[in-house]
Amino acid sequence: MRTLNYGAYLIQLTRLPRAFPVNFYLVRDSDGLTLVDTGIPGSAPGILAAAQACGLPIRRIVLTHAHGDHLGSVDALRAALPEAEFIVSARDARFLAGDMRVNADEPQSKLRGAYQTIASKPTRLVHDGDYIGALRVIAAPGHTPGHIALFDERDGTLLAGDAFQTRAGLAVSGTVRWLFPFPALATWHKPTALASAQRLRALQPARLAVGHGEVLEQPGAALDKAIDEAVRLLSKEQGYGA
C-alpha cells in the first residue's frame, strides 16, 4: 500500500496504484484520525498499520458513497475498531442494507456501479452541513444519490470521493476518460453530478483529494476546465436526446 502525506492533516493511502488506484484517506484531528473510505476488501491491515505509524487512533470511519471499492473493508475495520464511529450519508445508508429504490423526488435513472450490502450498521447518519470532526459534509449527489464530499476548512482540502477523478486526467463524475473509464461508467445521473461539481468548485479548494488518481494542489484552473468539458459534453448529449 502506498502512503503519501499532504500538508499537516492529510494522508493518502492507495491500493493498486498502477493498475486500478483506489484511494482512501486518514485525516488528523484533535482527538485522533478520521478514515475517509475503506477501499477494496483486504485493505484493513494496511490502513491499521498506517494509523499505527501515525501514533494516533482511528476515531471515525466515513464513507463518501456506497460503492464496493469504497466500502470493501468496512466490516473488517469495524471488527478491529469497535469503538470507532461508522458514518454514512443518510441517503446512501439505505443501499448498505440492500434498499436499492430510487426516491420519487430523485431522477429516475438506473443505479450504476458495484453496490453491496454489508454487515456493519452505521452509528451516525449525516446530512449536508454537518461536521465530522474538522470536516464539513458537502452533499454531492450524482455519482450516487447520496454521495458526499468532505471539506477541511483548516487548509482548504476537499475530499471529493468520486465526484471527480484525476486518474487519466481530471474529470467530473460521468465524463469518460477512456484510459480509466470506471468512475464515469458507475455514475448514476450526469446532470446531478455536474451540478455537484459546480458546487464543490465554489468552495475554492486549495487541494483536491479523490477516490481514483493523484492529489492535486491548487486545482482551481483544472477544475474549471473539467467542469467546462462536462457542460459541453452534457449539452451535446441532451441535444441528441440523451
Side-chain angles (χ1 to χ4, degrees):
M1 183 179 295
R2 188 184 71 181
T3 302
L4 297 173
N5 290 270
Y6 295 91
Y9 307 111
L10 186 69
I11 304 167
Q12 183 194 54
L13 309 176
T14 307
R15 289 280 304 279
L16 307 175
R18 293 178 183 268
F20 186 92
V22 178
N23 301 324
F24 24 98
Y25 297 89
L26 293 170
V27 181
R28 294 183 176 91
D29 214 315
S30 59
D31 62 346
L33 298 167
T34 298
L35 173 64
V36 179
D37 289 330
T38 71
I40 58 178
S43 301
I47 291 170
L48 294 171
Q52 185 175 27
C54 293
L56 296 170
I58 296 175
R59 299 293 190 188
R60 292 162 290 272
I61 301 167
V62 187
L63 298 182
T64 59
H65 62 291
H67 281 162
D69 55 331
H70 293 257
L71 58 78
S73 294
V74 166
D75 286 341
L77 287 165
R78 288 289 290 149
L81 303 168
E83 300 303 316
E85 285 189 276
F86 174 34
I87 304 169
V88 187
S89 77
R91 177 63 186 93
D92 264 22
R94 286 170 37 198
F95 298 132
L96 304 181
D99 182 352
M100 303 305 295
R101 292 173 294 176
V102 176
N103 292 342
D105 61 349
E106 294 173 336
Q108 298 300 298
S109 295
K110 179 182 177 181
L111 294 173
R112 301 179 185 276
Y115 292 89
Q116 65 186 63
T117 59
I118 57 175
S120 299
K121 306 298 183 185
T123 62
R124 180 182 170 197
L125 303 180
V126 292
H127 302 81
D128 185 54
D130 290 344
Y131 279 83
I132 301 170
L135 303 175
R136 176 156 58 100
V137 176
I138 311 294
H143 189 66
T144 68
H147 190 291
I148 59 172
L150 301 161
F151 189 56
D152 194 333
E153 296 173 333
R154 297 171 297 181
D155 65 358
T157 296
L158 176 64
L159 294 107
D162 283 357
F164 296 97
Q165 70 181 76
T166 61
R167 177 72 167 179
L170 179 59
V172 173
S173 184
T175 299
V176 176
R177 291 284 181 264
W178 287 115
L179 292 178
F180 194 76
F182 309 107
L185 298 178
T187 295
W188 162 63
H189 191 250
K190 292 181 184 180
T192 302
L194 174 57
S196 291
Q198 292 167 328
R199 184 183 187 208
L200 295 175
R201 174 64 181 97
L203 296 170
Q204 303 285 340
R207 178 182 294 121
L208 178 66
V210 298
H212 304 281
E214 304 304 317
V215 169
L216 295 185
E217 303 284 356
Q218 302 302 325
L223 285 170
D224 289 339
K225 183 178 179 181
I227 289 170
D228 287 347
E229 179 186 14
V231 169
R232 177 179 57 81
L233 291 173
L234 185 60
S235 297
K236 183 177 180 180
E237 287 183 15
Q238 292 176 334
Y240 284 106

